[in-house]
Amino acid sequence: METIELEAQVYTALTNDSALVALLAKGAKSVYHLQAPGDKEDRCPFLVYTPISDVPALAGDDGEISHRVTVRIHITTLDGQYGGIYRQVHRIMEGLGFFRVQAIPYMENGEKTLIVDYRIGVDSTWQQ
């Protein structure tokens, strides 16, 4: 499976989950790929998902057999109340087969963000 396919699965799962989108400022339109738009008009809370690494995990017979993909999700709020959103995101990502690697709270420009990395191992037969 290619990383772009995983990205599409993550986006679909996040935007189609009614419990999650009910917690976001603009529903499914509050889920962004790579970065949120620069405007600040009532966009919090929102999510940004980004693939941050894709590394070989297992090789054999002169080829890659599997690879690990890490997806970083930023849960950004104004008030720091990202717990409910995080629980929904975690449930969704585990359902896709990802496991949590780390979580980091972060604050910039008055926005309070929880940054969470999720990793999954996938088959690399698409490369051969």
Side-chain angles (χ1 to χ4, degrees):
M1 176 179 295
E2 293 188 53
T3 302
I4 195 163
E5 292 173 281
L6 277 174
E7 291 175 54
Q9 285 181 2
V10 168
Y11 177 78
T12 299
L14 294 173
T15 57
N16 287 337
D17 189 89
S18 59
L20 173 63
V21 297
L23 300 172
L24 303 175
K26 295 181 181 178
K29 293 181 181 179
S30 292
V31 178
Y32 304 103
H33 182 247
L34 299 179
Q35 74 178 42
D39 66 346
K40 296 272 187 179
E41 63 178 63
D42 303 323
R43 66 179 176 152
C44 285
F46 64 90
L47 301 178
V48 176
Y49 70 99
T50 308
I52 61 167
S53 73
D54 181 343
V55 296
L58 183 62
D61 294 329
D62 297 324
E64 184 178 307
I65 296 170
S66 66
H67 59 123
R68 285 190 310 264
V69 177
T70 304
V71 173
R72 176 166 287 167
I73 298 181
H74 289 77
I75 304 168
T76 301
T77 68
L78 291 176
D79 59 8
Q81 299 300 312
Y82 41 66
I85 297 170
Y86 168 67
R87 283 187 287 280
Q88 298 304 321
V89 167
H90 188 70
R91 175 183 54 79
I92 292 164
M93 295 302 285
E94 278 191 330
L96 292 173
F98 285 84
F99 66 92
R100 188 176 69 89
V101 178
Q102 66 180 353
I104 308 156
Y106 178 76
M107 183 171 172
E108 183 176 336
N109 299 327
E111 294 178 338
K112 296 172 183 164
T113 301
L114 182 65
I115 302 166
V116 188
D117 291 349
Y118 288 95
R119 186 170 295 147
I120 192 170
V122 292
D123 185 2
S124 295
T125 55
W126 58 271
Q127 293 182 335
Q128 298 167 3

